[in-house]
Amino acid sequence: MENRSEAEASPYKSLVAAVSYGTASMAMVFINKAILMQYGHSMTLLTLQQLATALLIHFGRQTGYTRARGIDMPTVRRLLPVSLFYNANVAFALASLKGINIPMYIAIKRLTPLAVLIAGIFSGKGKPTAQVTSSVLLIAAGVIIAALGDFSFDLLGYGMALTSVFFQTMYLVLVERSGAEDGLSSVEIMFYNSFLSLPVLTFLIIITGEFPSSLALLFAKSNSLSFLLILVISLIMGIVLNFTMFLCTIVNSALTTTIVGVLKGVGSTTLGFVVLGGVEVHALNVTGLVINTAGGLWYSYAKYQQKMSKPPKRISDVEARSK
């Protein structure tokens, strides 16, 4: 039995988890945008990503490369809400990328810290500090100003992105609780999430009419080497993003994961103006994005100060043993 000090997350592991998630998350935005420009069936794409994740972890468990435990019904019942919220978040996020450009997508997703803080208040975590409150209000103001200057404004795309923010908030909070209270590692949560996602996603792509046309289009494009390369990269990065996101949330916290998301958005916003196109530059739009980014950086600094003034967070014994 390991002692309690050995179950604490080291500063190095916390940093690696945060940087890994930020890098994977930033790359995934551009990868998804690139593949959706050629293959518009976002729900089928998500299904393929989850299938690849489940098969890889299952294979790793069978060959002894991972320590993930088998499926048990009590854990399934506890993690079913996590899976539902996760897939709703990704599904709405992918759908929104078809209608809005990357800088505005990043700006809207920066509203997640505000939603997490509100959820924290209702769950008994208390009121945020004045700095945190001011910074998230600045983030929100930046989104509004940027939207007013967005010539390519797509109401449906904005609505999808905002809905994604809500679902992302819910699953981050649930993941933090599941990892800490149930003693699950990031790989185990990822496997349960993928396993529980597949029946729901299969049902959705059938009732929405994506299947079988999405499968037919996939086979039709299979003779394109560039498309296959992007698809394979998307599937691999989907696995990497899931793992790093769950690891960062367990080792650090749901709030830390949202802070990392804000910081990586600075690079994503800048690259979004020149990569993959779809952005019409307007002074009001740029001003709003700058305000939004400044608010995100201020928020991250405020939360960093707050985190440093608290005792280190403990992680589960299962996660500690994987170090």
Side-chain angles (χ1 to χ4, degrees):
M1 173 79 74
E2 297 181 355
N3 59 41
R4 290 179 68 86
S5 64
E6 291 175 331
E8 294 179 359
S10 68
Y12 175 75
K13 184 169 184 177
S14 297
L15 178 62
V16 169
V19 172
S20 299
Y21 168 66
T23 303
S25 181
M26 182 167 67
M28 198 62 182
V29 172
F30 292 94
I31 293 170
N32 281 335
K33 181 72 173 180
I35 194 168
L36 287 171
M37 291 172 68
Q38 301 185 51
Y39 184 76
H41 299 290
S42 57
M43 293 294 293
T44 302
L45 177 62
L46 176 56
T47 304
L48 291 174
Q49 289 174 347
Q50 295 289 37
L51 179 61
T53 301
L55 290 176
L56 180 64
I57 297 176
H58 176 71
F59 177 77
R61 190 178 63 198
Q62 294 297 316
T63 55
Y65 283 99
T66 65
R67 301 179 183 178
R69 293 170 290 182
I71 299 293
D72 67 85
M73 289 311 297
T75 305
V76 167
R77 287 192 291 268
R78 284 194 293 268
L79 289 185
L80 182 59
V82 173
S83 179
L84 293 176
F85 282 123
Y86 170 84
N87 284 284
N89 162 56
V90 178
F92 278 100
L94 287 173
S96 70
L97 277 172
K98 292 190 288 186
I100 60 177
N101 57 61
I102 289 178
M104 281 309 307
Y105 169 81
I106 296 297
I108 294 173
K109 293 293 280 184
R110 284 200 189 107
L111 293 174
T112 303
L114 173 61
V116 169
L117 288 175
I118 293 174
I121 293 174
F122 282 104
S123 64
K125 287 190 175 182
K127 294 182 179 180
T129 64
Q131 273 203 81
V132 170
T133 301
S134 300
S135 63
V136 294
L137 290 176
L138 191 63
I139 291 172
V143 172
I144 295 172
I145 294 172
L148 292 174
D150 185 9
F151 287 151
S152 59
F153 181 85
D154 184 307
L155 181 60
L156 181 60
Y158 273 68
M160 293 284 188
L162 288 171
T163 305
S164 173
V165 168
F166 167 76
F167 286 120
Q168 182 178 12
T169 301
M170 296 305 297
Y171 89 73
L172 282 175
V173 173
L174 288 172
V175 164
E176 185 178 7
R177 290 181 179 177
S178 298
E181 296 178 5
D182 299 338
L184 296 172
S185 69
S186 51
V187 173
E188 287 170 332
I189 293 180
M190 186 167 65
F191 178 70
Y192 273 100
N193 179 61
S194 300
F195 176 78
L196 294 172
S197 299
L198 290 174
V200 177
L201 290 173
T202 302
F203 174 73
L204 288 176
I205 62 175
I206 292 174
I207 65 168
T208 57
E210 278 200 16
F211 182 84
S213 59
S214 59
L215 191 61
L217 180 60
L218 188 64
F219 282 122
K221 286 184 168 290
S222 62
N223 57 359
S224 170
L225 183 60
S226 61
F227 173 77
L228 287 177
L229 180 62
I230 296 175
L231 178 62
V232 171
I233 293 175
S234 173
L235 296 179
I236 294 173
M237 285 305 300
I239 296 171
V240 173
L241 177 60
N242 285 344
F243 175 77
T244 56
M245 182 270 295
F246 288 130
L247 180 64
C248 183
T249 304
I250 293 174
V251 171
N252 298 296
S253 67
L255 200 52
T256 300
T257 303
T258 63
I259 291 174
V260 174
V262 168
L263 293 177
K264 64 89 181 174
V266 177
S268 298
T269 300
T270 305
L271 290 173
F273 278 104
V274 295
V275 177
L276 301 179
V279 182
E280 296 181 52
V281 180
H282 185 277
L284 197 60
N285 185 246
V286 174
T287 300
L289 291 173
V290 170
I291 292 173
N292 177 269
T293 301
L297 293 173
W298 184 13
Y299 168 82
S300 300
Y301 174 72
K303 294 308 298 182
Y304 174 77
Q305 286 187 317
Q306 186 176 330
K307 181 179 176 65
M308 293 303 292
S309 66
K310 294 181 178 180
K313 175 180 171 65
R314 298 183 185 276
I315 62 172
S316 67
D317 289 339
V318 175
E319 194 67 37
R321 283 195 290 270
S322 68
K323 291 192 290 186

